[in-house]
Structures are given as structure tokens and as C-alpha cells.
Amino acid sequence: MRDIVIIGHKAKTDGDFSLNDLPGSAGRMDILCRCVSSALFLSFGMRRDVNVHLLLLGEPDPGKIIRFEGLHLRYLNPDERSSGSLIQKALKKDATEQDIRSTPGIWIRRGDLSFLLSKFEGRTLFYLREDGEDIRAIANEIRDPVFFLGDHVGVTEEEEEQLLKAGAKIISVGPLSLHSNHCITLVHNELDRAEAQRGESPGEIERWIEN
Amino acid sequence: MRDIVIIGHKAKTDGDFSLNDLPGSAGRMDILCRCVSSALFLSFGMRRDVNVHLLLLGEPDPGKIIRFEGLHLRYLNPDERSSGSLIQKALKKDATEQDIRSTPGIWIRRGDLSFLLSKFEGRTLFYLREDGEDIRAIANEIRDPVFFLGDHVGVTEEEEEQLLKAGAKIISVGPLSLHSNHCITLVHNELDRAEAQRGESPGEIERWIEN
Ligand SMILES: C[S@@+](CC[C@H](N)C(=O)[O-])C[C@H]1O[C@@H](n2cnc3c(N)ncnc32)[C@H](O)[C@@H]1O
Ligand SMILES: C[S@@+](CC[C@H](N)C(=O)[O-])C[C@H]1O[C@@H](n2cnc3c(N)ncnc32)[C@H](O)[C@@H]1O
């Protein structure tokens, strides 16, 4: 399983935004939409072994988490508007301290970074930062990882402190500072290559589901 | 310089489509929009050493080429709707056998794959295909490349023949079949890493422009 967390500091926390203006009215929701797509899509289907967790910290009701489960997802297309509309639908639910299902494979709840870190206790945590250790040097040893990425403003000092305290290792995907969705594509590629080298088939679950 | 060509077999060739429905009414223009974004954006600005060529082969007037020049581009944001609207603007120009400037850094003309191949004569051509040679094995030797990618239906047999006849080398970016925009991110990463290893700075031009 690969879990990917993206922190959206400005991302709106109610469904009151226009799908025609995801960058503006929705608080750079376009970034999170592209992350969903990069995290979940293969050429011919979904990465069934991936979960995406969007941590939404914008107004008017900061501290919501939307979870996309690759294994159960339906109705998602790769374009930004498609994930944007599923996010909007989830935000129209009354979020509580319990998971509420919005559409197949999409769940919403209240929560913050601490909640996610306690949820992932025992997993191997990676915090993506430009000056981290090169993921390529360690990709072969990575099993069952959780990756944390920032949005256009990165990760705050306080968040970084929490991540490091929880034992997250800082890794880099390359020499330039990139958009979060591009980083996700690069992380997947390193793990795909490592799995292929070990003779594991990342598509296995997918085929199993569809047969 | 890195040039990237994406072949859009269904992509509309007039501006008569809705930005609210880039996948449907615009003939999977969403794919090309994501390719533009992956090809051109860094975290804090544009890749000034990249040109993107969208070969549009859909109705009603197949055979148009829209070129995005990283060096001169303005008004482009990373979201799909932003590139979609600049593509639409270009398609509203009367395209001829000559380049016509639409907005800063964006040009449109009539043309097909043969035209592009003759334009790139003398350059090193790469055709991205799942079963090609691993780009990682050769990234260090790549200089001044042109990359060709297909859309959701890939590359036709006829196009493939033309590419190979023009001397294109078949390369792969990883063990799974991915979306075209993800492939572009991976290609850039390999070249960025190779340049960084050689001590070249891919951001140089960018900084030089902005100072
Ligand atoms: C657009 S970047 C953030 C820009 C910048 N870090 C800042 O503080 O404003 C979004 C996220 O992508 C990740 N990222 C970008 N480039 C990276 C790289 N080369 N290696 C690892 N992570 C990277 C980081 O998690 C970052 O928070
Ligand atoms: C969505 S894929 C096309 C799917 C499939 N090849 C087909 O024929 O329908 C879009 C394009 O991305 C490129 N591509 C996808 N996965 C790739 C890989 N692992 N290595 C190299 N290129 C790849 C190819 O250029 C392909 O035409």
C-alpha cells in the first residue's frame, strides 16, 4: 500500500466554490486535484494500491480530511474538474470525527496533521523536501510507505516539526523544486521500478479486481 | 533546449469548445493541457529551455500545430483551464502555413507530423513507448532532444513508421503504461538529474530572464 498526504493550506473547507475557478474561489484546489490524478491514474485504470489524503486547512471550517481509496474508487476521471467535483461533493457532507462516505472510495472527516500521524503510527513515513536524501538511493528498501507533501507554500515549520517528531525521513525526488503532483509521479516511478526489479507486479491488484 | 511533441488525435481544431468540458467537447484536450503544464512548470516559474508542440488532429480542420515557447510565455498558469483557454485563443486565429502569434510565447500554424519531423532535422529524436530502452541508461548522453508522445490512444502505426524513418530512438520511462503528462515529468527529471550531475544549472536561463 502507498499512502500519500497533501497539505492544502488554503483549500476551501466547504463546497461553496466554482468548478470553473478551482485556483481562485476554491483556494488552490487545482493543486490538490492534480495530486489526486497523479497519485491514482495509470494509463489504463487506477492504481488500486494507493490512498490519497487531502488535508484541507482553508476557510471557512479548517481541518477536514478527504480520503480517496484507489481500491474502491469510482466516477473519477483524470481531469482536474472531475476530482474537483468529487471533492466538492464530499465537502457538502456534514463532516464529523468519524469517516463519512461521500461517493464510492471517497471519505470525509474532521482532522488535522496530528490525527493523520497517529493513524499512520507504525508505517514508514517520508516527508518530501527539496534538500532531502535522494529517494533513488533508498527506493529499493521502501515498503508500505506514507508520503507527506506540501502545496504551493510548502510545509510550515510547525508541521515540519510534527513530521520529524513522528519519525518521518526527509527525501528528495530531484535537484529542482517541483509542483507537488510532479513529485508524486516521480515517487511512484521509483517504487514501480523497484517493484519491477523485484519481480512484483504493481498492476496485480488492478487486474484481480477487474476480472 | 528540450522540445516535446504530443499528438492529439481527437483534439479539436477550432476554438468552438467549452472550457467546462475539455475532455468531451474539446476532444480530450485535457490531456494536452496537462502535458503543457508538466512540460513547462517548475515550482517557482517556467522552464525557459522548453518548447511544447501540440499536434492537433481532430475535427473540424485537422492538422494544426500550437507551439508554447517557454522562453517567451506569459499568462500561463498550471491549471488545465488556463492552458485550455490559451489553446482556445490560438485556435480562433486563422491558421496558415506560417507561424501566427496568438499570445506571448504561443504560436499556431497548419502542419502535420511530417512538417515537425522536417523542422527537427538534425536534432536527436526520441519516441516514447512502453517497451523502449530505459531512458535512465542513456540520460547522461542526451543533448538537445526532441521527445514524441501519443495521447490516450497512443501513436498510430503510420506515425510510428514516420518517427522511426526519421531516426527516432524508442525509449521508455518505466515499467508501467502511464499518462502522457506523467511521462513528461519523468523525462524532465532524468535530464534535470543528468544536468545537475554535470554541474549545469537548469534554472540558469530562468534567473537570467527575471533579473
Ligand atoms: C511547490 S513545492 C513547495 C515550494 C517550496 N518548498 C515552498 O516552501 O514554498 C510543493 C511541495 O512539493 C514537494 N517538493 C517539491 N520539489 C521537491 C523535490 N525536488 N524533492 C522533494 N520534494 C519536493 C515538497 O513537499 C513541497 O512542499
Ligand atoms: C496513455 S499512453 C498511451 C497508451 C497506449 N500506449 C496505447 O497505445 O493506447 C500515452 C503515451 O504515453 C507514452 N507512454 C506511456 N507509458 C510510457 C512508458 N512507460 N514509457 C514510455 N512512454 C510511455 C507513450 O508515448 C504513449 O503513447
Side-chain angles (χ1 to χ4, degrees):
Chain A
M1 189 60 70
R2 306 177 190 174
D3 281 88
I4 302 172
V5 178
I6 308 104
I7 308 176
H9 296 93
K10 306 278 174 217
K12 272 211 93 175
T13 40
D14 68 9
D16 188 22
F17 55 81
S18 165
L19 293 178
N20 297 343
D21 184 20
L22 292 170
S25 73
R28 295 310 312 271
M29 196 68 85
D30 63 312
I31 297 176
L32 301 184
C33 293
R34 287 192 292 281
C35 285
V36 165
S37 192
S38 298
L40 287 162
F41 277 95
L42 289 171
S43 176
F44 302 107
M46 214 71 93
R47 289 184 182 267
R48 297 297 175 186
D49 58 340
V50 171
N51 299 319
V52 181
H53 311 260
L54 305 180
L55 175 52
L56 311 182
L57 299 176
E59 293 303 326
D61 192 12
K64 292 191 177 170
I65 297 168
I66 299 180
R67 183 172 82 251
F68 288 70
E69 294 188 346
L71 191 56
H72 302 293
L73 256 180
R74 292 181 62 185
Y75 314 128
L76 179 68
N77 287 316
D79 60 298
E80 286 167 26
R81 204 182 166 89
S82 170
S83 38
S85 106
L86 292 173
I87 290 170
Q88 186 173 55
K89 220 170 239 166
L91 283 171
K92 288 187 170 157
K93 298 271 169 197
D94 276 323
T96 67
E97 303 291 322
Q98 304 291 324
D99 286 351
I100 292 172
R101 198 186 85 138
S102 171
T103 48
I106 302 188
W107 302 80
I108 183 157
R109 59 162 296 141
R110 301 198 162 280
D112 55 13
L113 184 57
S114 312
F115 167 78
L116 283 171
L117 287 171
S118 65
K119 174 179 161 131
F120 290 128
E121 227 186 284
R123 300 276 297 272
T124 318
L125 312 184
F126 294 97
Y127 160 35
L128 274 88
R129 206 177 69 187
E130 288 80 345
D131 60 349
E133 181 179 355
D134 188 354
I135 186 175
R136 219 170 260 195
I138 55 163
N140 256 313
E141 294 134 44
I142 296 179
R143 297 291 185 289
D144 212 28
V146 187
F147 299 97
F148 293 83
L149 297 94
D151 55 5
H152 58 301
V153 295
V155 165
T156 68
E157 271 182 47
E158 203 186 41
E159 288 160 355
E160 178 162 312
E161 211 171 289
Q162 284 180 274
L163 287 166
L164 298 180
K165 217 165 123 187
K169 190 177 167 66
I170 308 179
I171 55 167
S172 156
V173 293
L176 301 181
S177 182
L178 304 173
H179 281 265
S180 319
N181 60 312
H182 301 160
C183 297
I184 293 172
T185 298
L186 295 170
V187 163
H188 272 326
N189 183 249
E190 296 300 334
L191 300 184
D192 292 344
R193 283 171 174 270
E195 287 183 3
Q197 261 181 1
R198 293 200 297 270
E200 296 168 19
S201 160
E204 206 77 41
I205 300 177
E206 167 83 8
R207 279 197 298 277
W208 171 73
I209 293 283
E210 292 189 342
N211 285 339
Chain B
M1 188 60 69
R2 306 177 190 175
D3 281 87
I4 302 172
V5 178
I6 307 104
I7 308 177
H9 295 93
K10 306 277 175 217
K12 273 211 94 176
T13 41
D14 68 11
D16 187 21
F17 55 80
S18 165
L19 293 178
N20 298 343
D21 184 20
L22 292 169
S25 72
R28 295 311 310 272
M29 196 68 85
D30 63 312
I31 298 175
L32 301 184
C33 293
R34 286 193 293 282
C35 285
V36 166
S37 193
S38 298
L40 287 163
F41 277 96
L42 288 172
S43 176
F44 301 106
M46 213 72 92
R47 289 184 182 269
R48 298 297 175 186
D49 58 341
V50 171
N51 300 319
V52 181
H53 312 258
L54 305 180
L55 176 53
L56 311 181
L57 299 176
E59 294 303 326
D61 192 12
K64 292 192 177 169
I65 297 168
I66 299 180
R67 182 171 83 250
F68 288 70
E69 295 188 346
L71 190 57
H72 301 292
L73 256 180
R74 293 181 61 184
Y75 314 128
L76 180 68
N77 287 315
D79 59 300
E80 285 168 27
R81 204 183 166 88
S82 169
S83 38
S85 105
L86 292 173
I87 289 170
Q88 186 173 56
K89 221 171 238 165
L91 283 171
K92 286 186 171 157
K93 298 269 169 200
D94 276 323
T96 67
E97 302 290 323
Q98 304 290 325
D99 287 352
I100 292 172
R101 200 185 85 138
S102 172
T103 48
I106 302 187
W107 303 79
I108 184 158
R109 60 163 295 143
R110 300 199 162 279
D112 56 12
L113 184 57
S114 313
F115 166 78
L116 283 171
L117 287 170
S118 66
K119 173 178 161 132
F120 291 127
E121 227 186 285
R123 300 276 297 273
T124 318
L125 312 184
F126 295 97
Y127 160 35
L128 274 87
R129 207 178 68 187
E130 288 81 344
D131 60 348
E133 180 178 357
D134 188 356
I135 186 175
R136 219 170 261 194
I138 55 164
N140 256 314
E141 294 134 43
I142 296 179
R143 298 290 185 287
D144 212 29
V146 186
F147 299 97
F148 292 84
L149 296 94
D151 55 5
H152 58 302
V153 296
V155 166
T156 68
E157 271 182 47
E158 203 185 39
E159 289 159 354
E160 178 161 313
E161 211 171 289
Q162 285 180 273
L163 286 166
L164 299 180
K165 220 167 122 186
K169 191 176 165 65
I170 308 179
I171 55 168
S172 155
V173 293
L176 300 181
S177 182
L178 304 173
H179 281 266
S180 319
N181 59 311
H182 301 159
C183 297
I184 293 173
T185 298
L186 295 170
V187 163
H188 272 325
N189 183 248
E190 295 301 334
L191 300 184
D192 292 344
R193 284 172 172 272
E195 287 183 3
Q197 261 181 1
R198 293 199 298 269
E200 296 167 21
S201 161
E204 207 77 41
I205 301 177
E206 167 84 7
R207 279 197 297 278
W208 172 72
I209 293 283
E210 292 188 340
N211 285 340

